[in-house]
Amino acid sequence: MFISRYLGRTLLAAAKSETSAAAAAASSSSRTVYNPLEEFFEADRSPDEEKPIVYGRSWKASELRLKSWDDLNKLWYVLLKEKNMLMTQRQMLHAQNLRFPNPERIPKVRKSMCRIKHVLTERAIEDPDPRRSAEMKRMINAL
Amino acid sequence: MVHTLRRNPETKTERERERERERTMGSRLGSRVVYFANIPIKLLMPTSFTNITEIALKTIPSASKIEIKRVLESLYGFEVEKVRTLNMDGKKKKRGGLLIAKPDYKKAYVTLKNPLSISPDLYPIRIIEEDKRQMNKQPKSSMVEEGEVKRHWLDGKESQRFKPEKGSGNRAESGAKFPWSSMRPAR
């Protein structure tokens, strides 16, 4: 399970330090309690509207081109979980006719995922071996 | 699958090489591996917060039971016993000539092997619960006024109750009260 969160919480540089610190802290407690249902809800967010919620910007294509294939794979799933969480939140709030705050976060996540696929397709096109590039394209575009 | 007979040592090594290539490239077995799953999973509000054995999700209609089970097990770490799905149409409104449709979705009921519990302190749950409680309280308070019980307009009219009669024998006496008293009730 990756602990690195998407750019919504920390930027690129700080993310690495956070993952190492979080890994050290969470390794002791993660084995005792881990409720997978909690992944559909936002962590550390109080129900009162005390302060404005800080969230980051989406990933840029230039930043994504620096990452390796495994990194992008992991980032894809982090983004997918974030998107599921936001959509769950939106659906639950709309069911009670409450307002969903900051709806612009979902398109940011969606566009970051789109950029990941774009970067991977670019790499697949440049591959000299046509069979491997076709396979890569099939892998990238399969659901 | 490779079920041919072994002939020469040269072809055997060639076949081994092919098998090696298949294993690393994964053309036949690897086509079953999905590298970029894109299934949106929206969790519906659980019925209670302790001992949850079944959760409800909404997904896109093209997600199959096996896919959902795989994604839940590998990405989230749920222990899934079984998944039951059904396809639902989104609500459609027709305004004149214009059709406003919400997207169709697939509902999935997932049974878990071990019951889970969730605390209501996570973000949107507390607000939703409070909202639900408020909604449930309001209609009760508007109906009960100063300890009165629900009244019906026929309650005080026991004396004027008439029996359904085929003949018109009682028309004279009941005609004084209401002109339609001799009529049979509709139901």
Side-chain angles (χ1 to χ4, degrees):
Chain A
M1 271 298 152
F2 10 85
I3 307 172
S4 62
R5 321 229 50 220
Y6 109 106
L7 214 52
R9 304 286 166 204
T10 49
L11 281 178
L12 266 177
K16 285 179 199 154
S17 55
E18 213 208 52
T19 46
S20 51
S27 58
S28 52
S29 60
S30 64
R31 267 163 230 152
T32 50
V33 173
Y34 171 59
N35 192 351
L37 268 179
E38 287 174 11
E39 304 224 13
F40 286 105
F41 300 97
E42 234 169 303
D44 32 279
R45 176 121 178 230
S46 61
D48 319 315
E49 303 166 20
E50 298 158 350
K51 45 193 169 159
I53 301 292
V54 173
Y55 59 91
R57 56 167 179 81
S58 50
W59 285 80
K60 285 189 192 170
S62 49
E63 293 165 0
L64 292 170
R65 279 193 198 108
L66 304 169
K67 300 282 180 184
S68 68
W69 201 84
D70 288 317
D71 277 342
L72 287 176
N73 205 347
K74 288 182 188 166
L75 184 62
W76 172 272
Y77 285 106
V78 171
L79 287 175
L80 179 67
K81 281 192 178 180
E82 183 76 17
K83 189 170 75 159
N84 281 341
M85 183 270 287
L86 288 171
M87 290 205 289
T88 311
Q89 203 185 89
R90 178 177 65 171
Q91 188 253 324
M92 283 190 184
L93 287 171
H94 279 194
Q96 304 295 324
N97 292 327
L98 290 168
R99 191 169 306 178
F100 174 52
N102 301 329
E104 63 270 0
R105 293 157 75 182
I106 301 186
K108 289 193 184 185
V109 180
R110 210 174 56 222
K111 289 189 183 173
S112 307
M113 292 169 93
C114 166
R115 281 173 208 144
I116 290 181
K117 276 203 172 177
H118 176 72
V119 162
L120 287 173
T121 334
E122 276 180 357
R123 286 188 198 167
I125 289 171
E126 285 161 5
D127 201 302
D129 184 18
R131 186 170 156 204
R132 212 184 302 159
S133 68
E135 272 200 43
M136 279 176 79
K137 282 182 196 168
R138 245 180 282 133
M139 274 191 324
I140 292 166
N141 296 323
L143 183 69
Chain B
M1 292 325 242
V2 191
H3 286 305
T4 52
L5 298 168
R6 294 176 186 229
R7 278 181 211 152
N8 307 337
E10 294 119 38
T11 48
K12 185 162 65 171
T13 48
E14 209 184 299
R15 228 173 291 128
E16 273 176 11
R17 252 183 282 130
E18 235 231 297
R19 235 175 286 152
E20 266 287 307
R21 197 164 11 115
E22 267 187 29
R23 235 178 285 136
T24 48
M25 296 284 284
S27 58
R28 244 171 293 178
L29 298 174
S31 62
R32 289 193 213 139
V33 180
V34 172
Y35 283 99
F36 290 98
N38 200 5
I39 299 179
I41 292 181
K42 302 170 214 180
L43 177 74
L44 296 175
M45 183 68 102
T47 46
S48 64
F49 295 125
T50 53
N51 289 344
I52 301 175
T53 41
E54 213 172 65
I55 53 177
L57 318 160
K58 272 195 195 186
T59 14
I60 53 172
S62 62
S64 61
K65 277 189 196 181
I66 313 173
E67 279 276 334
I68 297 176
K69 179 170 181 177
R70 239 181 24 190
V71 163
L72 283 179
E73 280 178 346
S74 51
L75 261 192
Y76 287 95
F78 279 106
E79 289 170 341
V80 174
E81 195 188 313
K82 69 170 170 176
V83 181
R84 298 177 312 203
T85 55
L86 59 145
N87 278 316
M88 305 277 297
D89 296 328
K91 293 187 181 174
K92 295 183 181 23
K93 248 194 259 185
K94 201 145 194 181
R95 197 107 182 265
L98 205 64
L99 180 71
I100 303 167
K102 294 212 179 128
D104 298 338
Y105 56 95
K106 184 176 245 183
K107 272 212 279 191
Y109 291 104
V110 179
T111 20
L112 304 168
K113 285 182 192 160
N114 312 316
L116 284 177
S117 69
I118 195 173
S119 79
D121 288 332
L122 296 173
Y123 170 55
I125 304 184
R126 178 58 56 97
I127 300 183
I128 291 179
E129 280 293 303
E130 286 181 19
D131 209 56
K132 265 199 223 171
R133 246 179 284 133
Q134 277 182 15
M135 289 246 307
N136 286 335
K137 271 188 194 161
Q138 275 165 10
K140 284 182 197 161
S141 60
S142 66
M143 277 180 25
V144 177
E145 296 161 357
E146 298 168 326
E148 278 182 7
V149 192
K150 216 170 78 167
R151 286 192 305 176
H152 190 77
W153 58 277
L154 276 178
D155 278 342
K157 314 226 167 119
E158 285 283 326
S159 51
Q160 292 161 19
R161 204 160 35 118
F162 55 88
K163 276 192 199 168
E165 277 193 11
K166 292 208 181 131
S168 51
N170 278 348
R171 201 190 287 175
E173 42 183 273
S174 47
K177 306 231 163 97
F178 293 107
W180 60 84
S181 305
S182 60
M183 281 176 68
R184 273 177 288 149
R187 275 176 252 134

